[in-house]
């Protein structure tokens, strides 16, 4: 799995570097990542941005971009937007302008209707375009949740009052509150 290092304090010189996840150590909760320059680091999941493809959606100003595929390359916490590479250019997109692929791993956050799932790991199973909802499979593999994609206009224009996503995307519950962040999870990233 391709990742970018971010948010390191003690080894900040590695922030922004890319590499491949080679293994996960459950005992330490860290991934072994080989950087493109050959250096090998053991990094916590919250310090990795998983690079994944995502479909653009809900683009009102540039509707010709809807349905196009881009690659998540970064996160701007201050603006609450992802940096997505699209045809050699990098665009800045709100989390609700991306549809994540099946198999993406996630953490449920801020879910009001079933708060017991908050903090739990899940996997994106599918996306229902008509209902604009993801179906996600929880870690126990027997529970599936339907989570809404879109945010209200007021939510999307400001930084979200919840923990910001570390990598791929942010989903919303029926009350327009963030309920899912997709990020590197201990044991969820696999090597190719």
């Amino acid at each position: 799995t391709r990742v970018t290092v971010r948010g390191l304090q003690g080894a900040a010189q590695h922030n922004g570097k890319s590499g491949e996840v080679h293994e996960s150590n459950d005992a330490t909760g860290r991934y072994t990542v080989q950087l493109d320059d050959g250096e090998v680091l053991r990094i916590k999941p919250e310090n990795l941005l998983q690079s994944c493809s995502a479909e653009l959606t809900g683009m009102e100003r540039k509707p010709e971009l809807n349905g196009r595929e881009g690659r998540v390359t970064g996160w701007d916490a201050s603006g609450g937007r992802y940096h997505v590479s699209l045809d050699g250019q990098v665009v800045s997109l709100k989390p609700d302008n991306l549809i994540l692929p099946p198999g993406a791993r996630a953490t449920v956050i801020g879910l009001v209707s079933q708060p017991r799932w908050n903090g739990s790991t899940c996997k994106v199973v599918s996306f229902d375009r008509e209902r604009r909802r993801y179906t996600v499979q929880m870690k126990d593999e027997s529970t599936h949740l339907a989570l809404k994609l879109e945010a209200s206009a007021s939510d999307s224009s400001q930084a979200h009052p919840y923990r910001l996503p570390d990598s791929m995307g942010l989903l919303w519950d029926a009350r327009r509150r963030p309920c899912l962040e997709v990020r590197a999870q201990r044991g969820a990233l696999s090597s190719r």
Side-chain angles (χ1 to χ4, degrees):
T1 300
R2 285 293 290 168
V3 293
T4 301
V5 179
R6 62 182 301 279
L8 291 179
Q9 302 292 318
Q13 71 273 16
H14 296 299
N15 290 333
K17 292 182 180 180
S18 296
E20 290 282 332
V21 171
H22 283 275
E23 65 183 7
S24 170
N25 184 325
D26 288 336
T28 64
R30 293 176 184 254
Y31 289 106
T32 301
V33 177
Q34 181 168 8
L35 300 177
D36 292 343
D37 65 11
E39 192 165 356
V40 176
L41 303 174
R42 285 160 188 74
I43 305 174
K44 294 178 184 177
E46 58 266 20
N47 294 115
L48 295 173
L49 174 73
Q50 187 176 6
S51 178
C52 74
S53 62
E55 180 184 332
L56 280 64
T57 187
M59 302 293 294
E60 294 176 7
R61 291 187 190 152
K62 293 189 175 188
E64 68 275 9
L65 295 180
N66 290 327
R68 304 271 310 275
E69 187 174 295
R71 179 154 292 281
V72 175
T73 60
W75 169 252
D76 174 13
S78 64
R81 292 176 178 259
Y82 284 104
H83 298 216
V84 178
S85 178
L86 183 68
D87 297 331
Q89 293 184 324
V90 176
V91 294
S92 181
L93 299 174
K94 297 180 290 187
D96 50 308
N97 288 125
L98 297 174
I99 297 175
L100 302 168
R105 296 299 197 261
T107 299
V108 178
I109 60 168
L111 184 59
V112 175
S113 61
Q114 299 184 58
R116 72 179 182 277
W117 294 113
N118 290 329
S120 299
T121 300
C122 66
K123 176 175 74 172
V124 173
V125 175
S126 64
F127 180 73
D128 182 331
R129 292 176 185 283
E130 186 176 311
R131 295 176 56 221
R132 295 191 52 83
R133 290 181 183 266
Y134 285 95
T135 298
V136 298
Q137 179 182 33
M138 302 311 295
K139 196 172 185 175
D140 66 8
E141 295 186 7
S142 65
T143 303
H144 288 75
L145 300 177
L147 302 172
K148 200 168 208 163
L149 172 67
E150 58 205 20
S152 67
S154 63
D155 283 341
S156 61
S157 65
Q158 58 188 332
H160 304 296
Y162 300 90
R163 194 164 126 213
L164 293 172
D166 294 316
S167 67
M168 294 186 293
L170 184 63
L171 304 179
W172 305 84
D173 72 5
R175 293 186 180 176
R176 306 272 199 248
R177 296 182 182 175
C179 62
L180 181 76
E181 65 176 343
V182 178
R183 51 181 244 148
Q185 292 295 319
R186 186 168 43 162
L189 295 179
S190 60
S191 58
R192 290 181 193 212

